[in-house]
Amino acid sequence: MSWKTAYRSIYYRGAPEPADPDLGKAHTALLVIDVQNVYLARPERAALPPAAQADYDAWTPFHDRMHATVIPRTRDLLARFREHGIECLFARIACHTKDGRDRSLSQKMPGWNNLLLPKDEAPSQIPDALAPVGDEIVVTKTTDSALTGTNLRLILTNLGIKTVVCCGIFTDQCVSSTVRSLADESFNVVVVEDCCAAGSDELHRKELEIINMIYCNVMSSAELKTLMALG
C-alpha cells in the first residue's frame, strides 16, 4: 500500500490522496528524536523476579524492532542525508541538574515517564550507531516536544528549513508531540514509520493513524528515499 493511502483514520477515509511533500534538499532536515542509551539498555532476564520478567517480555518486541529495524534504517537515512549535504539534527531528553529539578512536570510524575537523565551521564547519550557527526546540532529538552523545551524552532528557521523529517521514539509520545508542535509552527512534517517505535506495535500504528494527513505525512524510509532521489 502506498503512503498516500496507508495509516488513515476515520477522519480521512475516502479523502483525496495528498500531494507529494516539498522535500527540496536545501530546505529539508532530518530530526532524530530521543534515541538514547537509556531506552536501549536491558538487564539480564534470568536475574529478575517473575513480575519483572513479565514486564521484560512485554518490552522485547520494542527492543527487537529498535535493533532490527529502527536503528539500521535511521543510520541509513543519516548516511544518505549527509552524503547529499542535507541537515541532520538530534533531540534528546536530559536535565541540566543532577537532581532533575529543572524537569517538566510530565517527567516528574510517578510512573514510566519519571526520568532522571542528567545531561552528562551515559544513559542520556545518543548511541554510537546514530551519533551526531561534526557540527550537527543536538538540542536537549526536559519536555516531550522538541520545540516546546528548546530553541529548535529558531534553529530550523535560521537554517532555512521548511520540511522536517522525523524519526525516533516514542511514536505516541515525544515523536507525536514534536510533530504536532512543528505542524503548529507551519513546518511541513514527514514521519518515517519504520524509523520510529512505540512501546507496542499497536500504539505505534494507532498514533501514526492519528497524526497522519493532519499533522504530517507518514511514509516508509524506502518511499522517502525514492521521493528525495537519495539512491
Side-chain angles (χ1 to χ4, degrees), residues 39-53:
Y39 297 120
L40 302 177
R42 302 201 88 185
E44 289 294 329
R45 185 184 186 281
L48 300 173
Q53 287 185 0

Side-chain angles (χ1 to χ4, degrees), residues 18-40:
D20 289 349
D22 182 356
L23 291 164
K25 294 179 176 63
H27 53 256
T28 296
L30 180 65
L31 175 63
V32 182
I33 301 165
D34 294 358
V35 182
Q36 298 171 233
N37 290 334
V38 65
Y39 297 120
L40 302 177

Side-chain angles (χ1 to χ4, degrees), residues 65-216:
R65 178 177 173 85
M66 288 300 297
H67 289 289
T69 303
V70 173
I71 291 176
R73 295 186 187 180
T74 303
R75 184 172 62 237
D76 176 65
L77 277 187
L78 283 166
R80 292 171 189 267
F81 271 59
R82 288 164 178 159
E83 181 182 353
H84 287 268
I86 307 170
E87 293 284 353
C88 298
L89 301 96
F90 302 80
R92 66 177 184 132
I93 297 174
C95 51
H96 298 278
T97 57
K98 289 286 186 180
D99 63 3
R101 62 186 181 276
D102 60 308
R103 294 173 296 168
S104 61
L105 179 60
S106 65
Q107 292 178 16
K108 296 177 181 177
M109 297 290 284
W112 184 79
N113 277 330
N114 189 340
L115 290 172
L116 180 58
L117 293 172
K119 61 184 175 65
D120 295 325
E121 296 185 4
S124 69
Q125 307 307 310
I126 298 167
D128 290 343
L130 302 181
V133 172
D135 63 355
E136 289 175 348
I137 295 167
V138 181
V139 296
T140 298
K141 63 193 180 71
T142 56
T143 54
D144 276 13
S145 168
L147 264 72
T148 301
T150 74
N151 67 335
L152 180 58
R153 180 195 61 77
L154 179 60
I155 290 171
L156 293 171
T157 299
N158 289 347
L159 292 172
I161 301 302
K162 298 179 182 178
T163 301
V164 182
V165 177
C166 293
C167 303
I169 54 179
F170 288 82
T171 314
D172 56 326
Q173 297 191 21
C174 292
V175 173
S176 175
S177 292
T178 300
V179 166
R180 290 165 185 259
S181 294
L182 286 166
D184 282 345
E185 295 286 349
S186 294
F187 290 97
N188 300 310
V189 186
V190 171
V191 173
V192 187
E193 60 90 6
D194 52 333
C195 293
C196 295
S200 71
D201 186 61
E202 178 185 10
L203 287 171
H204 172 71
R205 292 190 61 85
K206 183 54 66 177
E207 187 61 35
L208 292 178
E209 291 178 4
I210 291 169
I211 61 178
N212 188 36
M213 295 190 70
I214 180 170
Y215 302 112
C216 64

